[in-house]
Amino acid sequence: MGVSSVAVVGCGMMGRGIMEVSAAAGLKVVGIKLTPGDLAEPKKKIQQSLDRRVKRGKLTAEQAAEILGRIELSSNLAAVQGSDLVIESAVEDEPTKIKLLKDIESKMHPEAVLGTNTSSLRLETLAAALSRPDRFLGLHFFSPVPAMELVELGAIPKTAEYASAKASEYCKQIGKTAVHVQASPGYVVNRLLVPYLLHGIFTLESGIASAEDIDTAMKLGCGHPMGPLALSDLIGLDVVRAMAETLARELGDKRYEMPKTLLQLTQANQLGRKSGMGIFDYSSE
């Protein structure tokens, strides 16, 4: 029932993290990059992540080299064909995901399981375009994937037991804990987390405290390892905005109202750590 090979479609921060933990578990991994740019770049960034783990004493240089050696990159979606499990980790846009999932399904092995890393889009809507919804489910990872232990596993009524079982076993193989959740937008974590992040930004807008002091207050006052503003920057302000917009639309809840600061920063392409500038300035790092 276990997984021996994984294909990850999408080479952004989340996709690269899923590739890294899968390869670290001894699985054969193929990463599919469908966007423009250097095909070698995702592997270079995974190498940098592994190098940091080596410096911290979490891996030996030899182990890091073995992990990297299990990862192949391709720009051809047909490369998913040989994998037991295919995980889509592309942009949080419903029409884009629907088209991509249909394309993936047409090329993957008939017995393979198809997972999507989305947490905010409705799984039933995504599955409606598939010819085999019985092998489709949600596999929602958290950032940074190598450090975060949780995966939210969301099945729809049409998901077959074999698909859920294979996905659960995969989570065990890569050292993650899977929680089984209903296929509802936001699952558990983002339903609770996104309002907190948005309210952190609203608090900044109100002038009650500086960004630094808001984060310090939540770290020292609530025992959080990171404040809401630095966490928003780490996740990516574009991702936070996309989740908020989707959850507001799907759930009709005012808790997902959009702060003006979040709109302004994303419109200026100031997306947090990945762009060098967000609520905080990372340009010197």
PDB file of all heavy atoms in Angstrom, residues 1-8 15 17-23 25 27-29 84-87 137 139 141 145 151 153 163-178:
ATOM      1  N   MET A   1       0.823  -1.206   0.000  1.00  0.00           N
ATOM      2  CA  MET A   1       0.000   0.000   0.000  1.00  0.00           C
ATOM      3  C   MET A   1       0.858   1.258   0.000  1.00  0.00           C
ATOM      4  O   MET A   1       0.410   2.337  -0.313  1.00  0.00           O
ATOM      5  CB  MET A   1      -0.933   0.000   1.219  1.00  0.00           C
ATOM      6  CG  MET A   1      -1.891   1.191   1.289  1.00  0.00           C
ATOM      7  SD  MET A   1      -2.966   1.345  -0.152  1.00  0.00           S
ATOM      8  CE  MET A   1      -4.073  -0.034   0.123  1.00  0.00           C
ATOM      9  N   GLY A   2       2.141   1.096   0.354  1.00  0.00           N
ATOM     10  CA  GLY A   2       3.013   2.258   0.427  1.00  0.00           C
ATOM     11  C   GLY A   2       3.312   2.855  -0.937  1.00  0.00           C
ATOM     12  O   GLY A   2       3.009   2.282  -1.980  1.00  0.00           O
ATOM     13  N   VAL A   3       3.941   4.033  -0.923  1.00  0.00           N
ATOM     14  CA  VAL A   3       4.300   4.765  -2.134  1.00  0.00           C
ATOM     15  C   VAL A   3       5.792   4.626  -2.358  1.00  0.00           C
ATOM     16  O   VAL A   3       6.589   4.729  -1.422  1.00  0.00           O
ATOM     17  CB  VAL A   3       3.916   6.252  -1.975  1.00  0.00           C
ATOM     18  CG1 VAL A   3       4.473   7.086  -3.116  1.00  0.00           C
ATOM     19  CG2 VAL A   3       2.394   6.401  -1.898  1.00  0.00           C
ATOM     20  N   SER A   4       6.182   4.375  -3.597  1.00  0.00           N
ATOM     21  CA  SER A   4       7.610   4.282  -3.922  1.00  0.00           C
ATOM     22  C   SER A   4       8.078   5.441  -4.794  1.00  0.00           C
ATOM     23  O   SER A   4       9.271   5.732  -4.856  1.00  0.00           O
ATOM     24  CB  SER A   4       7.926   2.962  -4.625  1.00  0.00           C
ATOM     25  OG  SER A   4       7.208   2.857  -5.848  1.00  0.00           O
ATOM     26  N   SER A   5       7.134   6.102  -5.482  1.00  0.00           N
ATOM     27  CA  SER A   5       7.505   7.209  -6.363  1.00  0.00           C
ATOM     28  C   SER A   5       6.431   8.290  -6.315  1.00  0.00           C
ATOM     29  O   SER A   5       5.237   7.999  -6.263  1.00  0.00           O
ATOM     30  CB  SER A   5       7.697   6.721  -7.800  1.00  0.00           C
ATOM     31  OG  SER A   5       6.535   6.043  -8.256  1.00  0.00           O
ATOM     32  N   VAL A   6       6.880   9.536  -6.339  1.00  0.00           N
ATOM     33  CA  VAL A   6       5.987  10.692  -6.219  1.00  0.00           C
ATOM     34  C   VAL A   6       6.317  11.693  -7.319  1.00  0.00           C
ATOM     35  O   VAL A   6       7.489  11.976  -7.588  1.00  0.00           O
ATOM     36  CB  VAL A   6       6.145  11.379  -4.847  1.00  0.00           C
ATOM     37  CG1 VAL A   6       5.249  12.615  -4.755  1.00  0.00           C
ATOM     38  CG2 VAL A   6       5.826  10.412  -3.718  1.00  0.00           C
ATOM     39  N   ALA A   7       5.288  12.246  -7.932  1.00  0.00           N
ATOM     40  CA  ALA A   7       5.453  13.364  -8.852  1.00  0.00           C
ATOM     41  C   ALA A   7       4.813  14.594  -8.214  1.00  0.00           C
ATOM     42  O   ALA A   7       3.709  14.510  -7.678  1.00  0.00           O
ATOM     43  CB  ALA A   7       4.799  13.076 -10.199  1.00  0.00           C
ATOM     44  N   VAL A   8       5.519  15.700  -8.257  1.00  0.00           N
ATOM     45  CA  VAL A   8       5.008  16.958  -7.702  1.00  0.00           C
ATOM     46  C   VAL A   8       4.908  17.959  -8.839  1.00  0.00           C
ATOM     47  O   VAL A   8       5.917  18.284  -9.485  1.00  0.00           O
ATOM     48  CB  VAL A   8       5.927  17.500  -6.590  1.00  0.00           C
ATOM     49  CG1 VAL A   8       5.353  18.796  -6.024  1.00  0.00           C
ATOM     50  CG2 VAL A   8       6.103  16.460  -5.482  1.00  0.00           C
ATOM     51  N   GLY A  15       5.930  23.175  -3.372  1.00  0.00           N
ATOM     52  CA  GLY A  15       6.269  22.026  -4.207  1.00  0.00           C
ATOM     53  C   GLY A  15       7.668  21.523  -3.932  1.00  0.00           C
ATOM     54  O   GLY A  15       7.900  20.314  -3.815  1.00  0.00           O
ATOM     55  N   GLY A  17       9.347  21.868  -1.194  1.00  0.00           N
ATOM     56  CA  GLY A  17       9.370  21.249   0.128  1.00  0.00           C
ATOM     57  C   GLY A  17       8.828  19.834   0.107  1.00  0.00           C
ATOM     58  O   GLY A  17       9.378  18.929   0.754  1.00  0.00           O
ATOM     59  N   ILE A  18       7.762  19.620  -0.653  1.00  0.00           N
ATOM     60  CA  ILE A  18       7.182  18.276  -0.776  1.00  0.00           C
ATOM     61  C   ILE A  18       8.174  17.341  -1.462  1.00  0.00           C
ATOM     62  O   ILE A  18       8.343  16.175  -1.072  1.00  0.00           O
ATOM     63  CB  ILE A  18       5.848  18.330  -1.536  1.00  0.00           C
ATOM     64  CG1 ILE A  18       4.824  19.163  -0.771  1.00  0.00           C
ATOM     65  CG2 ILE A  18       5.299  16.914  -1.763  1.00  0.00           C
ATOM     66  CD1 ILE A  18       3.564  19.504  -1.558  1.00  0.00           C
ATOM     67  N   MET A  19       8.864  17.838  -2.487  1.00  0.00           N
ATOM     68  CA  MET A  19       9.893  17.032  -3.148  1.00  0.00           C
ATOM     69  C   MET A  19      10.991  16.649  -2.167  1.00  0.00           C
ATOM     70  O   MET A  19      11.426  15.489  -2.116  1.00  0.00           O
ATOM     71  CB  MET A  19      10.515  17.822  -4.307  1.00  0.00           C
ATOM     72  CG  MET A  19       9.617  18.088  -5.489  1.00  0.00           C
ATOM     73  SD  MET A  19      10.534  19.038  -6.735  1.00  0.00           S
ATOM     74  CE  MET A  19       9.259  20.155  -7.285  1.00  0.00           C
ATOM     75  N   GLU A  20      11.437  17.612  -1.377  1.00  0.00           N
ATOM     76  CA  GLU A  20      12.548  17.375  -0.455  1.00  0.00           C
ATOM     77  C   GLU A  20      12.205  16.311   0.583  1.00  0.00           C
ATOM     78  O   GLU A  20      12.992  15.379   0.807  1.00  0.00           O
ATOM     79  CB  GLU A  20      12.930  18.685   0.244  1.00  0.00           C
ATOM     80  CG  GLU A  20      14.101  18.545   1.192  1.00  0.00           C
ATOM     81  CD  GLU A  20      14.504  19.858   1.838  1.00  0.00           C
ATOM     82  OE1 GLU A  20      14.288  20.928   1.221  1.00  0.00           O
ATOM     83  OE2 GLU A  20      15.036  19.824   2.968  1.00  0.00           O
ATOM     84  N   VAL A  21      11.027  16.428   1.221  1.00  0.00           N
ATOM     85  CA  VAL A  21      10.688  15.456   2.271  1.00  0.00           C
ATOM     86  C   VAL A  21      10.416  14.079   1.675  1.00  0.00           C
ATOM     87  O   VAL A  21      10.683  13.054   2.317  1.00  0.00           O
ATOM     88  CB  VAL A  21       9.500  15.929   3.129  1.00  0.00           C
ATOM     89  CG1 VAL A  21       9.841  17.224   3.857  1.00  0.00           C
ATOM     90  CG2 VAL A  21       8.220  16.096   2.317  1.00  0.00           C
ATOM     91  N   SER A  22       9.889  14.044   0.467  1.00  0.00           N
ATOM     92  CA  SER A  22       9.632  12.756  -0.183  1.00  0.00           C
ATOM     93  C   SER A  22      10.944  12.059  -0.515  1.00  0.00           C
ATOM     94  O   SER A  22      11.108  10.855  -0.273  1.00  0.00           O
ATOM     95  CB  SER A  22       8.801  12.954  -1.456  1.00  0.00           C
ATOM     96  OG  SER A  22       7.530  13.510  -1.158  1.00  0.00           O
ATOM     97  N   ALA A  23      11.890  12.817  -1.063  1.00  0.00           N
ATOM     98  CA  ALA A  23      13.194  12.240  -1.394  1.00  0.00           C
ATOM     99  C   ALA A  23      13.950  11.840  -0.131  1.00  0.00           C
ATOM    100  O   ALA A  23      14.654  10.827  -0.109  1.00  0.00           O
ATOM    101  CB  ALA A  23      14.013  13.230  -2.215  1.00  0.00           C
ATOM    102  N   ALA A  25      12.702  10.622   2.431  1.00  0.00           N
ATOM    103  CA  ALA A  25      12.114   9.363   2.899  1.00  0.00           C
ATOM    104  C   ALA A  25      12.507   8.182   2.018  1.00  0.00           C
ATOM    105  O   ALA A  25      12.025   7.063   2.229  1.00  0.00           O
ATOM    106  CB  ALA A  25      10.594   9.494   2.949  1.00  0.00           C
ATOM    107  N   LEU A  27      12.049   8.028  -1.347  1.00  0.00           N
ATOM    108  CA  LEU A  27      11.180   7.859  -2.500  1.00  0.00           C
ATOM    109  C   LEU A  27      11.809   8.480  -3.750  1.00  0.00           C
ATOM    110  O   LEU A  27      12.557   9.454  -3.670  1.00  0.00           O
ATOM    111  CB  LEU A  27       9.815   8.512  -2.240  1.00  0.00           C
ATOM    112  CG  LEU A  27       9.096   8.093  -0.961  1.00  0.00           C
ATOM    113  CD1 LEU A  27       7.760   8.793  -0.859  1.00  0.00           C
ATOM    114  CD2 LEU A  27       8.913   6.584  -0.898  1.00  0.00           C
ATOM    115  N   LYS A  28      11.481   7.912  -4.882  1.00  0.00           N
ATOM    116  CA  LYS A  28      11.880   8.501  -6.163  1.00  0.00           C
ATOM    117  C   LYS A  28      10.938   9.665  -6.455  1.00  0.00           C
ATOM    118  O   LYS A  28       9.715   9.526  -6.349  1.00  0.00           O
ATOM    119  CB  LYS A  28      11.788   7.456  -7.270  1.00  0.00           C
ATOM    120  CG  LYS A  28      12.169   7.978  -8.645  1.00  0.00           C
ATOM    121  CD  LYS A  28      12.004   6.889  -9.708  1.00  0.00           C
ATOM    122  CE  LYS A  28      12.313   7.428 -11.090  1.00  0.00           C
ATOM    123  NZ  LYS A  28      12.116   6.398 -12.143  1.00  0.00           N
ATOM    124  N   VAL A  29      11.499  10.802  -6.827  1.00  0.00           N
ATOM    125  CA  VAL A  29      10.704  12.020  -6.976  1.00  0.00           C
ATOM    126  C   VAL A  29      10.959  12.652  -8.340  1.00  0.00           C
ATOM    127  O   VAL A  29      12.108  12.767  -8.782  1.00  0.00           O
ATOM    128  CB  VAL A  29      11.044  13.048  -5.874  1.00  0.00           C
ATOM    129  CG1 VAL A  29      10.240  14.328  -6.064  1.00  0.00           C
ATOM    130  CG2 VAL A  29      10.799  12.453  -4.491  1.00  0.00           C
ATOM    131  N   ASP A  84       3.426   6.605  -8.335  1.00  0.00           N
ATOM    132  CA  ASP A  84       2.299   6.043  -7.584  1.00  0.00           C
ATOM    133  C   ASP A  84       1.359   7.121  -7.065  1.00  0.00           C
ATOM    134  O   ASP A  84       0.166   6.909  -6.897  1.00  0.00           O
ATOM    135  CB  ASP A  84       2.807   5.274  -6.353  1.00  0.00           C
ATOM    136  CG  ASP A  84       3.783   4.173  -6.707  1.00  0.00           C
ATOM    137  OD1 ASP A  84       3.618   3.578  -7.780  1.00  0.00           O
ATOM    138  OD2 ASP A  84       4.695   3.918  -5.920  1.00  0.00           O
ATOM    139  N   LEU A  85       1.946   8.292  -6.772  1.00  0.00           N
ATOM    140  CA  LEU A  85       1.203   9.414  -6.196  1.00  0.00           C
ATOM    141  C   LEU A  85       1.615  10.678  -6.920  1.00  0.00           C
ATOM    142  O   LEU A  85       2.806  10.942  -7.105  1.00  0.00           O
ATOM    143  CB  LEU A  85       1.509   9.542  -4.699  1.00  0.00           C
ATOM    144  CG  LEU A  85       0.949  10.764  -3.967  1.00  0.00           C
ATOM    145  CD1 LEU A  85      -0.576  10.721  -3.911  1.00  0.00           C
ATOM    146  CD2 LEU A  85       1.528  10.845  -2.549  1.00  0.00           C
ATOM    147  N   VAL A  86       0.630  11.464  -7.346  1.00  0.00           N
ATOM    148  CA  VAL A  86       0.893  12.751  -7.989  1.00  0.00           C
ATOM    149  C   VAL A  86       0.281  13.835  -7.120  1.00  0.00           C
ATOM    150  O   VAL A  86      -0.902  13.756  -6.758  1.00  0.00           O
ATOM    151  CB  VAL A  86       0.302  12.818  -9.411  1.00  0.00           C
ATOM    152  CG1 VAL A  86       0.657  14.150 -10.067  1.00  0.00           C
ATOM    153  CG2 VAL A  86       0.800  11.657 -10.266  1.00  0.00           C
ATOM    154  N   ILE A  87       1.076  14.838  -6.771  1.00  0.00           N
ATOM    155  CA  ILE A  87       0.602  15.931  -5.929  1.00  0.00           C
ATOM    156  C   ILE A  87       0.681  17.229  -6.716  1.00  0.00           C
ATOM    157  O   ILE A  87       1.760  17.643  -7.147  1.00  0.00           O
ATOM    158  CB  ILE A  87       1.428  16.043  -4.632  1.00  0.00           C
ATOM    159  CG1 ILE A  87       1.371  14.733  -3.850  1.00  0.00           C
ATOM    160  CG2 ILE A  87       0.914  17.201  -3.772  1.00  0.00           C
ATOM    161  CD1 ILE A  87       2.291  14.698  -2.648  1.00  0.00           C
ATOM    162  N   LEU A 137      -8.022  13.411  -3.845  1.00  0.00           N
ATOM    163  CA  LEU A 137      -8.200  13.908  -2.481  1.00  0.00           C
ATOM    164  C   LEU A 137      -7.313  15.121  -2.247  1.00  0.00           C
ATOM    165  O   LEU A 137      -6.501  15.499  -3.097  1.00  0.00           O
ATOM    166  CB  LEU A 137      -7.897  12.814  -1.447  1.00  0.00           C
ATOM    167  CG  LEU A 137      -6.700  11.895  -1.630  1.00  0.00           C
ATOM    168  CD1 LEU A 137      -5.371  12.630  -1.467  1.00  0.00           C
ATOM    169  CD2 LEU A 137      -6.743  10.751  -0.621  1.00  0.00           C
ATOM    170  N   LEU A 139      -4.295  16.902  -0.095  1.00  0.00           N
ATOM    171  CA  LEU A 139      -3.115  16.673   0.744  1.00  0.00           C
ATOM    172  C   LEU A 139      -2.506  18.042   1.027  1.00  0.00           C
ATOM    173  O   LEU A 139      -1.700  18.555   0.239  1.00  0.00           O
ATOM    174  CB  LEU A 139      -2.100  15.774   0.039  1.00  0.00           C
ATOM    175  CG  LEU A 139      -2.309  14.268   0.116  1.00  0.00           C
ATOM    176  CD1 LEU A 139      -1.334  13.556  -0.805  1.00  0.00           C
ATOM    177  CD2 LEU A 139      -2.127  13.772   1.548  1.00  0.00           C
ATOM    178  N   PHE A 141      -0.185  20.466   2.835  1.00  0.00           N
ATOM    179  CA  PHE A 141       1.046  20.588   3.602  1.00  0.00           C
ATOM    180  C   PHE A 141       1.164  22.004   4.168  1.00  0.00           C
ATOM    181  O   PHE A 141       0.454  22.923   3.757  1.00  0.00           O
ATOM    182  CB  PHE A 141       2.258  20.312   2.709  1.00  0.00           C
ATOM    183  CG  PHE A 141       2.407  18.878   2.286  1.00  0.00           C
ATOM    184  CD1 PHE A 141       1.619  18.351   1.266  1.00  0.00           C
ATOM    185  CD2 PHE A 141       3.338  18.054   2.894  1.00  0.00           C
ATOM    186  CE1 PHE A 141       1.761  17.030   0.866  1.00  0.00           C
ATOM    187  CE2 PHE A 141       3.490  16.731   2.503  1.00  0.00           C
ATOM    188  CZ  PHE A 141       2.695  16.226   1.492  1.00  0.00           C
ATOM    189  N   VAL A 145       7.741  23.036   4.587  1.00  0.00           N
ATOM    190  CA  VAL A 145       7.361  21.614   4.596  1.00  0.00           C
ATOM    191  C   VAL A 145       8.351  20.730   5.352  1.00  0.00           C
ATOM    192  O   VAL A 145       7.926  19.855   6.115  1.00  0.00           O
ATOM    193  CB  VAL A 145       7.145  21.101   3.154  1.00  0.00           C
ATOM    194  CG1 VAL A 145       6.812  19.616   3.160  1.00  0.00           C
ATOM    195  CG2 VAL A 145       6.033  21.889   2.469  1.00  0.00           C
ATOM    196  N   VAL A 151      -0.054  17.232   7.976  1.00  0.00           N
ATOM    197  CA  VAL A 151      -0.699  17.231   6.660  1.00  0.00           C
ATOM    198  C   VAL A 151      -2.196  17.050   6.902  1.00  0.00           C
ATOM    199  O   VAL A 151      -2.609  16.136   7.617  1.00  0.00           O
ATOM    200  CB  VAL A 151      -0.193  16.089   5.751  1.00  0.00           C
ATOM    201  CG1 VAL A 151      -0.963  16.081   4.428  1.00  0.00           C
ATOM    202  CG2 VAL A 151       1.298  16.231   5.480  1.00  0.00           C
ATOM    203  N   LEU A 153      -5.530  15.834   5.459  1.00  0.00           N
ATOM    204  CA  LEU A 153      -5.961  14.906   4.416  1.00  0.00           C
ATOM    205  C   LEU A 153      -7.472  15.034   4.265  1.00  0.00           C
ATOM    206  O   LEU A 153      -8.229  14.638   5.147  1.00  0.00           O
ATOM    207  CB  LEU A 153      -5.558  13.479   4.786  1.00  0.00           C
ATOM    208  CG  LEU A 153      -5.491  12.441   3.674  1.00  0.00           C
ATOM    209  CD1 LEU A 153      -4.691  11.226   4.131  1.00  0.00           C
ATOM    210  CD2 LEU A 153      -6.885  11.991   3.242  1.00  0.00           C
ATOM    211  N   ALA A 163      -7.498   5.064  -1.987  1.00  0.00           N
ATOM    212  CA  ALA A 163      -6.798   6.334  -2.191  1.00  0.00           C
ATOM    213  C   ALA A 163      -6.477   6.989  -0.850  1.00  0.00           C
ATOM    214  O   ALA A 163      -5.364   7.480  -0.634  1.00  0.00           O
ATOM    215  CB  ALA A 163      -7.641   7.266  -3.055  1.00  0.00           C
ATOM    216  N   SER A 164      -7.440   6.984   0.061  1.00  0.00           N
ATOM    217  CA  SER A 164      -7.204   7.549   1.392  1.00  0.00           C
ATOM    218  C   SER A 164      -6.135   6.767   2.137  1.00  0.00           C
ATOM    219  O   SER A 164      -5.269   7.342   2.810  1.00  0.00           O
ATOM    220  CB  SER A 164      -8.508   7.559   2.203  1.00  0.00           C
ATOM    221  OG  SER A 164      -9.448   8.452   1.647  1.00  0.00           O
ATOM    222  N   ALA A 165      -6.179   5.440   2.008  1.00  0.00           N
ATOM    223  CA  ALA A 165      -5.206   4.595   2.697  1.00  0.00           C
ATOM    224  C   ALA A 165      -3.800   4.831   2.147  1.00  0.00           C
ATOM    225  O   ALA A 165      -2.820   4.896   2.904  1.00  0.00           O
ATOM    226  CB  ALA A 165      -5.590   3.125   2.555  1.00  0.00           C
ATOM    227  N   LYS A 166      -3.681   4.962   0.825  1.00  0.00           N
ATOM    228  CA  LYS A 166      -2.360   5.188   0.216  1.00  0.00           C
ATOM    229  C   LYS A 166      -1.814   6.550   0.634  1.00  0.00           C
ATOM    230  O   LYS A 166      -0.618   6.683   0.953  1.00  0.00           O
ATOM    231  CB  LYS A 166      -2.437   5.091  -1.302  1.00  0.00           C
ATOM    232  CG  LYS A 166      -1.072   5.176  -1.994  1.00  0.00           C
ATOM    233  CD  LYS A 166      -1.199   4.964  -3.486  1.00  0.00           C
ATOM    234  CE  LYS A 166      -1.362   3.511  -3.853  1.00  0.00           C
ATOM    235  NZ  LYS A 166      -0.123   2.723  -3.640  1.00  0.00           N
ATOM    236  N   ALA A 167      -2.687   7.556   0.676  1.00  0.00           N
ATOM    237  CA  ALA A 167      -2.254   8.888   1.084  1.00  0.00           C
ATOM    238  C   ALA A 167      -1.838   8.902   2.546  1.00  0.00           C
ATOM    239  O   ALA A 167      -0.842   9.537   2.924  1.00  0.00           O
ATOM    240  CB  ALA A 167      -3.372   9.902   0.840  1.00  0.00           C
ATOM    241  N   SER A 168      -2.578   8.196   3.382  1.00  0.00           N
ATOM    242  CA  SER A 168      -2.222   8.113   4.807  1.00  0.00           C
ATOM    243  C   SER A 168      -0.878   7.432   4.998  1.00  0.00           C
ATOM    244  O   SER A 168      -0.046   7.863   5.806  1.00  0.00           O
ATOM    245  CB  SER A 168      -3.301   7.352   5.578  1.00  0.00           C
ATOM    246  OG  SER A 168      -4.521   8.050   5.589  1.00  0.00           O
ATOM    247  N   GLU A 169      -0.647   6.348   4.254  1.00  0.00           N
ATOM    248  CA  GLU A 169       0.616   5.632   4.359  1.00  0.00           C
ATOM    249  C   GLU A 169       1.768   6.501   3.877  1.00  0.00           C
ATOM    250  O   GLU A 169       2.863   6.485   4.465  1.00  0.00           O
ATOM    251  CB  GLU A 169       0.549   4.340   3.540  1.00  0.00           C
ATOM    252  CG  GLU A 169       1.785   3.465   3.646  1.00  0.00           C
ATOM    253  CD  GLU A 169       2.061   2.992   5.061  1.00  0.00           C
ATOM    254  OE1 GLU A 169       1.085   2.852   5.847  1.00  0.00           O
ATOM    255  OE2 GLU A 169       3.238   2.774   5.394  1.00  0.00           O
ATOM    256  N   TYR A 170       1.538   7.264   2.826  1.00  0.00           N
ATOM    257  CA  TYR A 170       2.563   8.186   2.327  1.00  0.00           C
ATOM    258  C   TYR A 170       2.954   9.197   3.406  1.00  0.00           C
ATOM    259  O   TYR A 170       4.144   9.466   3.612  1.00  0.00           O
ATOM    260  CB  TYR A 170       2.056   8.901   1.075  1.00  0.00           C
ATOM    261  CG  TYR A 170       2.839  10.132   0.696  1.00  0.00           C
ATOM    262  CD1 TYR A 170       4.127  10.036   0.164  1.00  0.00           C
ATOM    263  CD2 TYR A 170       2.283  11.409   0.857  1.00  0.00           C
ATOM    264  CE1 TYR A 170       4.850  11.167  -0.191  1.00  0.00           C
ATOM    265  CE2 TYR A 170       2.997  12.542   0.507  1.00  0.00           C
ATOM    266  CZ  TYR A 170       4.278  12.417  -0.011  1.00  0.00           C
ATOM    267  OH  TYR A 170       4.996  13.542  -0.354  1.00  0.00           O
ATOM    268  N   CYS A 171       1.964   9.736   4.107  1.00  0.00           N
ATOM    269  CA  CYS A 171       2.263  10.700   5.171  1.00  0.00           C
ATOM    270  C   CYS A 171       3.142  10.065   6.241  1.00  0.00           C
ATOM    271  O   CYS A 171       4.086  10.696   6.742  1.00  0.00           O
ATOM    272  CB  CYS A 171       0.968  11.233   5.777  1.00  0.00           C
ATOM    273  SG  CYS A 171       0.015  12.290   4.658  1.00  0.00           S
ATOM    274  N   LYS A 172       2.862   8.827   6.595  1.00  0.00           N
ATOM    275  CA  LYS A 172       3.694   8.120   7.573  1.00  0.00           C
ATOM    276  C   LYS A 172       5.112   7.932   7.029  1.00  0.00           C
ATOM    277  O   LYS A 172       6.095   8.088   7.762  1.00  0.00           O
ATOM    278  CB  LYS A 172       3.086   6.761   7.899  1.00  0.00           C
ATOM    279  CG  LYS A 172       1.794   6.815   8.688  1.00  0.00           C
ATOM    280  CD  LYS A 172       1.258   5.407   8.940  1.00  0.00           C
ATOM    281  CE  LYS A 172      -0.073   5.432   9.660  1.00  0.00           C
ATOM    282  NZ  LYS A 172      -0.613   4.060   9.855  1.00  0.00           N
ATOM    283  N   GLN A 173       5.212   7.587   5.748  1.00  0.00           N
ATOM    284  CA  GLN A 173       6.527   7.346   5.146  1.00  0.00           C
ATOM    285  C   GLN A 173       7.419   8.581   5.226  1.00  0.00           C
ATOM    286  O   GLN A 173       8.629   8.463   5.418  1.00  0.00           O
ATOM    287  CB  GLN A 173       6.374   6.929   3.682  1.00  0.00           C
ATOM    288  CG  GLN A 173       5.846   5.517   3.472  1.00  0.00           C
ATOM    289  CD  GLN A 173       5.661   5.197   1.989  1.00  0.00           C
ATOM    290  OE1 GLN A 173       4.580   5.345   1.436  1.00  0.00           O
ATOM    291  NE2 GLN A 173       6.743   4.778   1.344  1.00  0.00           N
ATOM    292  N   ILE A 174       6.831   9.759   5.059  1.00  0.00           N
ATOM    293  CA  ILE A 174       7.636  10.987   5.055  1.00  0.00           C
ATOM    294  C   ILE A 174       7.701  11.628   6.440  1.00  0.00           C
ATOM    295  O   ILE A 174       8.193  12.757   6.582  1.00  0.00           O
ATOM    296  CB  ILE A 174       7.111  11.999   4.017  1.00  0.00           C
ATOM    297  CG1 ILE A 174       5.685  12.442   4.340  1.00  0.00           C
ATOM    298  CG2 ILE A 174       7.195  11.420   2.606  1.00  0.00           C
ATOM    299  CD1 ILE A 174       5.173  13.577   3.456  1.00  0.00           C
ATOM    300  N   GLY A 175       7.200  10.924   7.445  1.00  0.00           N
ATOM    301  CA  GLY A 175       7.326  11.401   8.820  1.00  0.00           C
ATOM    302  C   GLY A 175       6.358  12.483   9.217  1.00  0.00           C
ATOM    303  O   GLY A 175       6.614  13.235  10.168  1.00  0.00           O
ATOM    304  N   LYS A 176       5.216  12.575   8.540  1.00  0.00           N
ATOM    305  CA  LYS A 176       4.209  13.568   8.868  1.00  0.00           C
ATOM    306  C   LYS A 176       3.021  12.919   9.576  1.00  0.00           C
ATOM    307  O   LYS A 176       2.752  11.717   9.406  1.00  0.00           O
ATOM    308  CB  LYS A 176       3.702  14.279   7.606  1.00  0.00           C
ATOM    309  CG  LYS A 176       4.778  14.912   6.732  1.00  0.00           C
ATOM    310  CD  LYS A 176       5.538  15.999   7.445  1.00  0.00           C
ATOM    311  CE  LYS A 176       6.554  16.667   6.524  1.00  0.00           C
ATOM    312  NZ  LYS A 176       7.413  17.625   7.237  1.00  0.00           N
ATOM    313  N   THR A 177       2.298  13.709  10.344  1.00  0.00           N
ATOM    314  CA  THR A 177       1.055  13.273  10.962  1.00  0.00           C
ATOM    315  C   THR A 177      -0.105  13.771  10.116  1.00  0.00           C
ATOM    316  O   THR A 177      -0.217  14.977   9.861  1.00  0.00           O
ATOM    317  CB  THR A 177       0.919  13.825  12.395  1.00  0.00           C
ATOM    318  OG1 THR A 177       1.967  13.293  13.202  1.00  0.00           O
ATOM    319  CG2 THR A 177      -0.424  13.430  13.002  1.00  0.00           C
ATOM    320  N   ALA A 178      -0.956  12.861   9.680  1.00  0.00           N
ATOM    321  CA  ALA A 178      -2.123  13.232   8.875  1.00  0.00           C
ATOM    322  C   ALA A 178      -3.346  13.350   9.777  1.00  0.00           C
ATOM    323  O   ALA A 178      -3.613  12.469  10.591  1.00  0.00           O
ATOM    324  CB  ALA A 178      -2.370  12.191   7.787  1.00  0.00           C
TER     325      ALA A 178
END
